[in-house]
Amino acid sequence: MVRHTFLILLTLTTLLAHGQQKDRVILTKHRAFQAGEELTYNVRYGIIPGGAGYFSIKDSLLNGKKVNHIKVKGVTTGLADAIFKVRDVYESFMDVETDLPIKAIRNIREGRYRYYDEITYDRDSSVVHTTRTGTHKVPPKILDAVSAFYFARSHVFNDQLKEGEMIELVTFFAGKVYPMRIRYRGIETISTRFGKVQCYLFSPVTEVGRAFKTEDDMQVWISRDGNRLPMRIKFNLVVGSFVCELTEFRGLKHPFSSLRQ
């Protein structure tokens, strides 16, 4: 289950569902992040530590375009690392003007398993080219899993959402197009290592099966400030609960104003 937990943390792909419902989404032009931002998470199963996740952003150039080069890395630690070593890296190169990806990389090392894929996005023709599965026709403004997370931070998570509202973002992952569906649950203040933080609470729609019993077995808390940081992610799995917690941050674009005394 450690392996699947990292897949959830880094790509959120287990929340992808094939439903056809597509409700209103209010997009904003807010910029929630900047180059130099670094986020660190720990992963635990109950009180047992299992790994860490690292998110970073750098300014770069790709094919003459200014991009945010986003790298997400997940590693096992401690006993989990001895049992099943994970070194997963996901990268996304987002156009700074549109916040849409130009290129994405998936580099997986889990035990003896290896998987590498590069995806390039042809916006003019609405196709993606992959090194693993060839060329695919995709909807306009398609996102990869990493860029979807950052796109939502800037353009989707906001005070205009109504409780119970369903958000949908369309992503391309592992050679297929997936709609990412997330339900907004309202505002909640949680206790963290930094203090009490006021958050937006979301429930990504999870696929019922080997990992999840219901569609509501995942919760995500996003700080209610300009940064819109994922503070906590909780998975209620068939085998128990996993929790990912933000433990360190640096290089934030906005004050961490969601902190409450």
Side-chain angles (χ1 to χ4, degrees):
M1 294 309 300
V2 172
R3 170 183 173 182
H4 295 298
T5 300
F6 277 109
L7 198 57
I8 297 166
L9 171 64
L10 300 178
T11 70
L12 300 181
T13 52
T14 55
L15 61 83
L16 304 176
H18 298 278
Q20 298 301 312
Q21 180 181 359
K22 190 172 184 179
D23 294 346
R24 176 186 66 100
V25 174
I26 297 175
L27 299 181
T28 65
K29 295 182 179 180
H30 173 75
R31 169 65 66 165
F33 52 84
Q34 63 182 359
E37 181 189 89
E38 297 180 6
L39 308 176
T40 301
Y41 293 83
N42 68 16
V43 182
R44 69 178 190 273
Y45 176 65
I47 62 172
I48 303 172
Y54 305 94
F55 294 63
S56 64
I57 309 173
K58 294 182 179 180
D59 282 332
S60 187
L61 282 174
L62 185 65
N63 300 328
K65 288 183 177 290
K66 292 182 179 180
V67 296
N68 286 139
H69 179 194
I70 302 171
K71 181 178 288 188
V72 180
K73 182 178 181 180
V75 301
T76 43
T77 59
L79 180 61
D81 197 51
I83 296 173
F84 190 86
K85 187 183 295 292
V86 171
R87 298 291 185 271
D88 290 352
V89 178
Y90 293 79
E91 299 178 69
S92 183
F93 300 80
M94 293 175 61
D95 188 323
V96 297
E97 295 183 359
T98 64
D99 282 341
L100 298 176
I102 298 175
K103 181 178 179 179
I105 298 174
R106 184 181 175 201
N107 187 4
I108 306 301
R109 297 176 61 193
E110 299 174 349
R112 295 182 179 179
Y113 177 73
R114 300 290 184 270
Y115 182 98
Y116 184 87
D117 195 14
E118 291 189 11
I119 304 97
T120 55
Y121 294 78
D122 185 339
R123 298 291 169 185
D124 294 333
S125 302
S126 292
V127 298
V128 296
H129 305 283
T130 79
T131 56
R132 298 280 300 195
T133 59
T135 299
H136 303 262
K137 188 71 175 178
V138 295
K141 298 184 178 180
I142 191 79
L143 299 159
D144 64 88
V146 172
S147 64
F149 164 69
Y150 283 86
F151 184 92
R153 283 179 61 188
S154 284
H155 303 290
V156 179
F157 302 149
N158 59 72
D159 280 344
Q160 298 180 64
L161 294 170
K162 295 182 178 180
E163 190 169 341
E165 180 172 354
M166 184 73 78
I167 301 162
E168 184 174 294
L169 298 172
V170 182
T171 68
F172 182 83
F173 182 79
K176 296 182 180 180
V177 174
Y178 290 105
M180 179 184 290
R181 302 174 65 217
I182 311 171
R183 191 179 302 279
Y184 176 55
R185 296 296 188 183
I187 295 171
E188 183 175 307
T189 299
I190 62 173
S191 295
T192 73
R193 67 177 298 162
F194 311 104
K196 292 185 177 180
V197 178
Q198 190 177 60
C199 296
Y200 302 110
L201 174 59
F202 296 92
S203 292
V205 178
T206 50
E207 289 190 16
V208 178
R210 289 187 302 172
F212 299 103
K213 292 181 179 180
T214 76
E215 290 187 346
D216 299 312
D217 281 340
M218 180 176 174
Q219 294 83 42
V220 181
W221 288 263
I222 304 292
S223 67
R224 193 187 179 200
D225 56 30
N227 302 294
R228 293 160 191 173
L229 296 174
M231 300 301 302
R232 177 182 299 158
I233 307 172
K234 183 178 181 181
F235 315 101
N236 297 314
L237 305 178
V238 174
V239 296
S241 294
F242 279 81
V243 178
C244 304
E245 296 266 10
L246 180 66
T247 57
E248 296 180 35
F249 60 78
R250 60 177 60 88
L252 300 184
K253 183 173 177 60
H254 303 279
F256 189 38
S257 59
S258 59
L259 190 63
R260 297 291 184 263
Q261 299 300 325

